[in-house]
Amino acid sequence: MNLTILHIEDDQEIGRWVSGFLKDHGFEVIWITSGNDAMKHMERADLSIGDGNSRSVAVN
């Protein structure tokens, strides 16, 4: 079973590069461009990554 990474990145060029890199290394990737949408996808992800400029999402 592959790990699923939720990738939050609004920059299209960086998003394509990072998502492609992760997929090439065997990860399933959910790429979204807004932190506002992150909670909709959290249950499906094993890990989430985002840049420092993304809106913060707190999960308790």
Side-chain angles (χ1 to χ4, degrees):
M1 181 166 118
N2 294 343
L3 292 177
T4 300
I5 298 178
L6 175 59
H7 177 213
I8 308 163
E9 176 57 65
D10 60 345
D11 183 292
Q12 295 292 313
E13 184 176 349
I14 294 171
R16 278 191 299 275
W17 184 84
V18 172
S19 291
F21 178 86
L22 293 169
K23 288 177 183 179
D24 288 348
H25 286 82
F27 296 97
E28 297 290 330
V29 178
I30 303 166
W31 173 26
I32 59 173
T33 58
S34 171
N36 294 332
D37 297 327
M39 294 306 293
K40 297 175 191 174
H41 303 281
M42 283 291 191
E43 287 186 18
R44 294 177 24 216
D46 298 300
L47 174 72
S48 64
I49 59 172
D51 64 21
N53 295 323
S54 295
R55 292 183 185 221
S56 297
V57 177
V59 179
N60 291 331

